Amino acid sequence: MVLGKVRALAVCFDTLNESNLPVFSGGELVSGRVVVEVAGDVRVRSLDVTARGVAKVRWTESRNAGANTAYTQNYTEEVEYLHHRDTLIGEERGEAGLHEFAFSFHLPQMALATSFEGKHGSVRYWVKAELQRPWMLPVKVKKEFIVFEHIDINTPLLLAPQAGSKEKTLCCWFCASGPISLSVKVARKGYTPGDSIQIFAEVENCSTRVVVPKAALYQTQTFFAKGKGKEIQQLVSNLRGEALAQGKSQSWEGRMLKIPPVSPSILDCPIIRVEYALVVYVDIPGGLNLSLSLPLVIGTIPLHTAASRTSSISSHGSASGWLGVPEHPEAPPSYSELAIPESHRRHFLHGVHEHEQEHASAALLTYITEFRYLPPPFYAEVDPYPEQVEPGRPDTCPSR
């Protein structure tokens, strides 16, 4: 028999979303086919399929001594979420042509880390097929798939409003400069990519300087290895208010900050965390910025219609009083507006319907896929608002 040549070896997944990508969640069935194309008869020892999911962290730090490097320290850590292996065929002879071999396995029911690519680490899932032949090197192919650990923002914790206030005096003693005050509120803590954060803020400038209120959404990636952490902060989105002269104030009554395509929050992985925060701050030329940070969670299951209405009423009703604006209460809704149909009642008792969850996953994946292939945003390994002292002038007042 003349030994044939393996022309192609490929892994194909059965379940693809509308973006033609394989996407799964914990506990779901992953199935597909290994396609082998050969020219002529071949002798096969085995065809194996291995599925793995790994969170991996790695970075290097060096310490210099003069012109030489004293030492280099590598920090690495790994957490395995999935390991499954199957032998699809044993030793046999194969004929020329195209052959397909099915495989399937269930993802673990445990909480899996969402697929992620960061500066110092990643969370990746893949299926690898390996064709073994006697007296020849094996032929291998690997194909990644995406895993989402769903975060439902329709929970009391993530629907709760976030608020805070701060005040800062630029100098003390005999200086006539007054304080700068900042108050901020947002309707909820949880959002999904594509949402807009509605910001209610009040800024009052009693200082002698011209200041500018601004807002920014930051992503913080934290990597852990060998008892040490490495933090990367990235600017995701921002907006700018109008400059404020002495004695002036400014109100943001629902300024919108759009959330672009970003990875969901990762909160349960022991070596990688992805967190978000809305930072509203007052840019003070020649002085320390007055900043207020509100932690946010980027989820995967978007806001339900009823939850959206409740959140909107809550934020608008309480934000007016909180910002010192007179409230204008509306007439109470009719019973027909409050009555919940039985189908919706079952919906809230048993969670999101399957077709809604599929739609939510598809919509989210559109953003995540777009984000995955964008160039990485700017990052900074230093505090964006460092504690500074204005040159030539003591700053003995508390900065908060």
Side-chain angles (χ1 to χ4, degrees), residues 266-286:
I266 299 178
L267 306 175
D268 296 327
C269 180
I271 62 173
I272 297 177
R273 288 182 67 88
V274 177
E275 299 167 295
Y276 292 88
L278 172 67
V279 179
V280 182
Y281 62 102
V282 181
D283 189 358
I284 305 172

Side-chain angles (χ1 to χ4, degrees), residues 22 54 71 95 130 133-134 150 166 182 188 208 213 231 234 242 288 306 323 329 340 356 371 384 387 390-391:
V54 175
Y71 70 89
E95 298 179 351
E130 184 172 339
R133 297 171 294 168
H150 283 297
K166 278 188 177 181
L182 170 66
R188 50 193 162 94
T208 57
E231 188 174 286
Q234 299 181 344
E242 298 177 359
L288 300 177
L323 290 174
I340 302 176
E356 288 181 338
F371 174 74
E387 294 292 333
E390 186 180 352

